[in-house]
């Protein structure tokens, strides 16, 4: 039984370049640095939009984690620190490295295999696997080339060998494991604590897990004992935020962990709570419920995703935006993808090969400009810069009358008319200009 269709892990590497600041900060470790792109090279800003690492890389992961980030210039690949210096050199067979956490990260080879590496560049799990998924702080779910699944800890040791149909993430010290069309639970030492008795099973939450046996859903505790006080026609969600949805007498009800009804829910379908809110669907549209079951956001959205830090992604006309817990629009629905990572300060949006960053109040912090490499005369004049910016203003967003404009003068290889192989950049300039301000 395959209960998970794992995993499409794609490293989105953009190749545009960035720009500049004369007050560059150095010799400081930053918890958050975000990739920017202008003119064919990648650099990094901090959460305040200040340039920290000048654009010089052909490719880079989208943000720093554990104070390092994967970056590439030409054939040189490795991990850089917050000063932009390579601290680990990597083999060219490594295509990219994802987010570090607890000093380890998933890496992907140029032929699409997955492994795990640490910050010293030591491979702790060889790249022989079809897919790997991080399980937050605990470790990694692993799928081999035969699509058998297992689990390793952050040291690369197998807790669960790759021989099962499905392995979930750990919650409350237990993970669901499926084998031979039955499901049970394994603890963090790899010991079976609840036998494979169930036709279907879900993760633990608030001390209880939702399981199915003989066509009946029920709740069990950590010992595998069925909780007798829960007697309902159907269980729609497991417990999160001390809330679950059930169906009784053909009505949807919200209950607490004691089985007490909190509210009747007028909805066609419901989804579990996250960050104090649950998504529901009514007449084909989506809205939000608060912890008491009261409608916090009316069902009017094409799609509405789970809440993180009080914000939810919504979809309108196949574009994504962001609203707060009252339904106030924080980011208009004009981006292909909006990312609301709860561990990051900035909100990132992706449109084709461009990144846009907002703070959590919806203020624009950075927007990559369109286009790839920028070709400048050998000695550009003020008029060259002005003509360039005037031709690009339509691509930029006005924020309180200000256009944030960035550009770079690349070091040009006179022989073949492209940026020199060492990726050097001779000059960076950043301009924030008003439409009414013609000063250079």
């Amino acid at each position: 039984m395959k209960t998970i269709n794992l995993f499409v892990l794609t490293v989105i590497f953009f190749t545009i370049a960035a720009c500049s600041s004369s007050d560059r900060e150095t010799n400081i470790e930053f918890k958050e640095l975000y990739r920017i792109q202008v003119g064919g090279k990648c650099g990094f800003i901090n959460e305040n939009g200040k340039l920290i690492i000048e654009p010089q890389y052909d490719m880079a992961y989208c943000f720093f984690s554990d104070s390092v980030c994967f970056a590439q210039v030409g054939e040189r690949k490795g991990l850089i620190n917050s000063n932009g210096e390579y601290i680990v050199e990597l083999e060219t067979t490594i295509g990219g490295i994802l987010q570090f956490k607890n000093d380890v990260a998933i890496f992907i080879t140029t032929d699409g295999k997955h492994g795990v590496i640490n910050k010293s560049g030591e491979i702790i799990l060889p790249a022989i696997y079809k897919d790997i998924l991080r399980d937050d702080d605990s470790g990694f779910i692993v799928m081999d080339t035969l699509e058998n699944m297992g689990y390793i800890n952050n040291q690369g040791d197998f807790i669960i060998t790759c021989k099962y149909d499905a392995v979930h993430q750990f919650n409350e010290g237990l993970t669901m494991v499926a084998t031979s069309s039955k499901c049970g639970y394994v603890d963090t030492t790899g010991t079976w604590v609840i036998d494979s008795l169930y036709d279907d099973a879900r993760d633990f939450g608030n001390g209880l897990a939702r399981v199915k046996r003989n066509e009946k859903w029920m709740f069990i505790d950590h010992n595998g004992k069925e909780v007798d006080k829960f007697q309902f026609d159907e269980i729609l969600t497991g417990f999160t935020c001390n809330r679950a949805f059930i169906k009784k007498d053909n009505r949807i009800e919200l209950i607490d962990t004691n089985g007490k009804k909190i509210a009747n829910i007028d909805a066609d379908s419901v989804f579990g709570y996250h960050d104090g809110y649950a998504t529901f669907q009514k007449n084909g549209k989506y809205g939000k419920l608060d912890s008491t079951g009261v409608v916090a956001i009316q069902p009017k959205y094409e799609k509405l995703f789970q809440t993180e830090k009080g914000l939810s992604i919504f979809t309108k006309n196949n574009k994504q935006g962001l609203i707060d817990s009252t339904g106030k629009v924080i980011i208009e629905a004009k981006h292909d993808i909006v990312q609301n990572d709860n561990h990051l300060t900035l909100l990132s949006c992706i449109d084709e090969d461009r990144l846009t960053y907002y703070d959590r109040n919806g203020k624009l912090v950075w927007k990559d400009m369109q286009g790839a490499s920028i070709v400048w005369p050998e000695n550009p004049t003020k008029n060259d810069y002005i003509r360039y910016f005037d031709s690009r203003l339509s691509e930029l967003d006005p924020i309180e009358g200000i256009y944030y404009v960035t550009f770079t003068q690349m070091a040009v290889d006179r022989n073949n008319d492209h940026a020199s192989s060492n990726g050097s950049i001779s000059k960076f300039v950043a301009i924030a200009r008003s439409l009414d301000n013609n000063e250079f």
Side-chain angles (χ1 to χ4, degrees):
M1 178 183 68
K2 299 286 183 187
T3 61
I4 303 178
N5 185 10
L6 288 180
F7 302 106
V8 181
L9 287 177
T10 305
V11 187
I12 306 176
F13 289 127
F14 300 100
T15 51
I16 309 185
C19 65
S20 63
S21 174
S22 59
D23 56 350
R24 179 187 176 197
E25 302 178 19
T26 58
N27 300 320
I28 302 176
E29 288 293 322
F30 291 90
K31 292 183 179 180
E32 295 184 25
L33 292 179
Y34 301 82
R35 184 187 63 204
I36 58 171
Q37 310 163 90
V38 180
K41 297 291 179 180
C42 300
F44 290 86
I45 59 173
N46 67 11
E47 63 269 28
N48 298 314
K50 178 177 285 188
L51 182 71
I52 304 301
I53 300 177
E54 293 176 350
Q56 57 200 277
Y57 309 104
D58 298 324
M59 183 186 298
Y61 189 59
C62 48
F63 59 86
F64 267 65
S65 51
D66 281 357
S67 298
V68 298
C69 187
F70 173 82
Q72 177 178 350
V73 177
E75 293 298 315
R76 189 184 189 189
K77 300 178 181 180
L79 301 178
I80 59 172
N81 63 17
S82 59
N83 292 325
E85 303 161 337
Y86 277 98
I87 57 174
V88 174
E89 300 275 352
L90 299 170
E91 296 180 2
T92 57
T93 55
I94 293 180
I97 300 179
L98 306 186
Q99 175 190 359
F100 275 90
K101 200 167 188 178
N102 296 320
D103 294 336
V104 289
I106 299 165
F107 73 95
I108 305 173
T109 62
T110 53
D111 62 356
K113 294 293 192 301
H114 294 68
V116 179
I117 194 169
N118 65 21
K119 282 172 58 176
S120 299
E122 176 186 3
I123 293 176
I124 65 172
L125 187 70
I128 58 174
Y129 296 94
K130 181 176 181 179
D131 230 329
I132 300 177
L133 179 68
R134 176 182 287 282
D135 180 18
D136 200 29
D137 292 332
S138 303
F140 301 88
I141 303 169
V142 178
M143 176 188 285
D144 67 18
T145 54
L146 298 176
E147 298 192 356
N148 297 312
M149 296 176 61
Y151 196 100
I152 67 165
N153 62 20
N154 288 319
Q155 290 72 48
D157 302 319
F158 270 94
I159 303 301
I160 303 170
T161 56
C162 283
K163 61 179 182 181
Y164 298 105
D165 292 336
V167 175
H168 279 202
Q169 65 185 20
F170 274 92
N171 278 295
E172 301 182 359
L174 296 175
T175 180
M176 190 284 291
V177 175
T179 179
S180 301
S181 299
K182 293 293 183 180
C183 304
Y185 293 86
V186 173
D187 67 15
T188 54
T189 69
T191 302
W192 283 87
V193 295
I194 301 175
D195 291 336
S196 297
L197 303 173
Y198 306 105
D199 303 319
D200 201 347
R202 305 301 166 87
D203 297 331
F204 271 87
N206 301 130
L208 301 169
R210 182 167 55 120
V211 297
K212 185 179 183 181
R213 184 166 59 180
N214 298 327
E215 301 301 319
K216 177 186 177 183
W217 283 97
M218 66 192 81
F219 284 110
I220 60 172
D221 63 18
H222 281 202
N223 297 315
K225 181 181 178 181
E226 182 179 352
V227 183
D228 294 331
K229 62 185 176 184
F230 297 120
Q231 299 294 330
F232 306 115
D233 299 335
E234 187 177 353
I235 300 173
L236 303 178
T237 71
F239 276 99
T240 54
C241 301
N242 297 305
R243 300 287 187 269
F245 292 101
I246 57 92
K247 184 172 283 190
K248 188 175 182 179
D249 299 328
N250 208 32
R251 296 181 305 178
I252 297 175
E253 295 182 3
L254 176 65
I255 63 170
D256 63 18
T257 51
N258 293 315
K260 180 182 178 181
K261 183 175 79 171
I262 298 172
N264 291 319
I265 305 300
D266 181 21
D268 299 324
S269 59
V270 287
F271 305 88
Y273 275 85
H274 193 85
D275 199 31
Y277 293 89
T279 303
F280 74 101
Q281 184 190 46
K282 181 71 175 177
N283 297 326
K285 299 292 184 179
Y286 293 86
K288 290 282 183 178
L289 302 170
D290 69 14
S291 61
T292 66
V294 173
V295 174
I297 299 175
Q298 293 296 327
K300 60 180 181 179
Y301 298 98
E302 297 170 2
K303 293 180 181 178
L304 194 57
F305 300 94
Q306 73 180 24
T307 306
E308 299 281 1
K309 286 190 174 181
L311 302 177
S312 302
I313 299 166
F314 72 97
T315 299
K316 181 179 180 181
N317 298 325
N318 294 319
K319 292 290 186 179
Q320 292 189 351
L322 204 73
I323 56 175
D324 67 13
S325 58
T326 69
K328 177 184 176 182
V329 175
I330 303 300
I331 298 175
E332 297 287 347
K334 59 182 180 180
H335 297 286
D336 295 337
I337 298 173
V338 175
Q339 295 179 325
N340 179 18
D341 295 313
N342 60 12
H343 63 286
L344 295 176
T345 299
L346 296 185
L347 304 160
S348 59
C349 302
I350 302 172
D351 297 285
E352 296 181 349
D353 59 353
R354 292 183 295 157
L355 278 166
T356 304
Y357 296 108
Y358 299 88
D359 68 18
R360 290 190 170 270
N361 294 315
K363 180 181 178 181
L364 180 66
V365 175
W366 179 276
K367 181 176 180 179
D368 288 343
M369 293 170 61
Q370 289 179 338
S373 59
I374 304 168
V375 179
W376 296 98
E378 183 173 355
N379 296 302
T381 66
K382 170 183 173 179
N383 287 333
D384 290 322
Y385 291 122
I386 291 175
R387 280 195 299 271
Y388 172 75
F389 288 126
D390 286 346
S391 70
R392 309 295 292 264
L393 286 178
S394 62
E395 301 172 8
L396 305 173
D397 283 341
I399 301 296
E400 297 178 356
I402 301 296
Y403 282 87
Y404 293 86
V405 183
T406 63
F407 65 88
T408 178
Q409 175 187 353
M410 306 295 295
V412 176
D413 185 331
R414 297 183 182 180
N415 293 328
N416 48 24
D417 195 32
H418 66 269
S420 57
S421 60
N422 63 9
S424 63
I425 299 175
S426 61
K427 183 179 180 181
F428 288 91
V429 182
I431 294 177
R433 63 177 286 186
S434 168
L435 288 176
D436 298 325
N437 182 7
N438 292 319
E439 295 182 1
F440 179 64

